[in-house]
Amino acid sequence: MSIENISSNRSSGGWHKQYTHASRTVHCDMRFAIFLPPQASETNKVPVLYWLSGLTCSDENFMQKAGAHRIAAELGIAIVAPDTSPRGENIPDDPDGAYDFGIGAGFYVNATEAPWNRYYHMYDYVVKELPAVIEDHFPVSDIKAISGHSMGGHGALSIALKNSDLYRSVSAFSPIVNPINVPWGQKALSNYLGEDKNAWREYDSCALIKKATSHLPMLIDQGDADQFLHDQLKPENLLQAAEEAGYPLELRMQEGYDHSYYFISSFIEDHVRFHAKHLK
């Protein structure tokens, strides 16, 4: 599969680059960003941290705002940030133009309901197609971890719990951990997957953690001043499910922090170092 470079910027001794490619999974052109640390070469393939962003975001938000390049360069880890949904003139969107569904809000599921099911297969894109593209075109290994924020935190946790053989570790900031029981998740899952709530459970981290057969290292940071904490995020539900399942989970409540990238940039070094321990 061919890819097209659309931007390149020197950063922290390495390179931040953006690419587009024609995706066979979501049937449109997709864009992703990659940070390659200075250690990356054909004779030294580096591990990869995949970052999944939240509602309304693209590949750019994390790369520009999180401040992760310096520590990734120090530790020799590549970072890959895909877009949050398919985009384009023919891509179906929320009919009311709302931000929490449709374009920019793919929720990292494989949609089964028309018209979403032709394009919105972000689960397969993140798990299968994108890593194949990255490993084919860049000096990286198949050793990888996954992380994300909000909707992307939901994606990172649910993907890791369903694919513990593919990732060494998982982390999240302010994740939607129990989408079947919160408004954002209920809207997205009912539209993408239909009304069968058994199908919803296949993307719900609280349900998935209870049936996990292997345990990945898991770190979650949550701000206690997050405006979405009680209505949309509900980290206590995941903590309870993990305790019932005997799944080791580190959940850190951070005093005074909200849902923004100010929060992410304050603790991103902890997360990259956490993954580095398991990626090496």
Side-chain angles (χ1 to χ4, degrees), residues 159-168 213-216 247:
I159 285 171
L161 287 166
K162 289 161 72 76
N163 299 277
S164 60
D165 58 325
L166 298 182
Y167 303 93
R168 296 289 181 88
T213 56
S214 60
H215 297 163
L216 286 178
Y247 195 109

Side-chain angles (χ1 to χ4, degrees), residues 108-256:
Y108 306 102
V109 304
N110 286 339
T112 57
E113 299 296 300
W116 324 105
N117 57 342
R118 173 165 171 76
Y119 301 100
Y120 286 81
H121 282 222
M122 289 300 295
Y123 175 88
D124 277 353
Y125 179 74
V126 169
V127 174
K128 299 176 182 178
E129 184 175 18
L130 183 60
V133 170
I134 299 299
E135 290 164 24
D136 188 46
H137 287 89
F138 300 99
V140 302
S141 70
D142 61 357
I143 298 172
K144 51 188 177 285
I146 192 166
S147 185
H149 170 234
S150 194
M151 176 187 72
H154 141 75
L157 293 174
S158 59
I159 285 171
L161 287 166
K162 289 161 72 76
N163 299 277
S164 60
D165 58 325
L166 298 182
Y167 303 93
R168 296 289 181 88
S169 52
V170 58
S171 74
F173 290 85
S174 316
I176 304 168
V177 300
N178 196 192
I180 65 176
N181 286 318
V182 301
W184 277 341
Q186 290 166 346
K187 178 178 179 178
L189 297 178
S190 62
N191 280 288
Y192 289 136
L193 304 177
E195 296 302 326
D196 180 4
K197 293 188 177 181
N198 287 324
W200 300 11
R201 294 175 65 83
E202 290 302 308
Y203 298 98
D204 185 285
S205 295
C206 288
L208 293 169
I209 206 167
K210 292 179 180 179
K211 60 180 185 180
T213 56
S214 60
H215 297 163
L216 286 178
M218 182 181 293
L219 170 64
I220 297 174
D221 270 320
Q222 172 65 60
D224 70 1
D226 191 316
Q227 61 270 43
F228 304 113
L229 176 61
H230 301 295
D231 294 336
Q232 304 282 11
L233 306 179
K234 299 184 181 295
E236 67 277 6
N237 291 6
L238 184 64
L239 186 61
Q240 180 180 345
E243 290 174 348
E244 292 174 358
Y247 195 109
L249 157 65
E250 182 177 6
L251 171 61
R252 309 190 306 186
M253 296 298 297
Q254 303 291 2
E255 183 179 359

Side-chain angles (χ1 to χ4, degrees), residues 32-50:
F32 66 86
I34 184 168
F35 172 73
L36 289 167
Q39 299 90 334
S41 70
E42 288 303 322
T43 57
N44 183 44
K45 295 189 175 184
V46 297
V48 183
L49 173 61
Y50 286 84

Side-chain angles (χ1 to χ4, degrees), residues 25-40:
T25 302
V26 299
H27 299 102
C28 69
D29 287 346
M30 287 293 287
R31 191 175 74 186
F32 66 86
I34 184 168
F35 172 73
L36 289 167
Q39 299 90 334

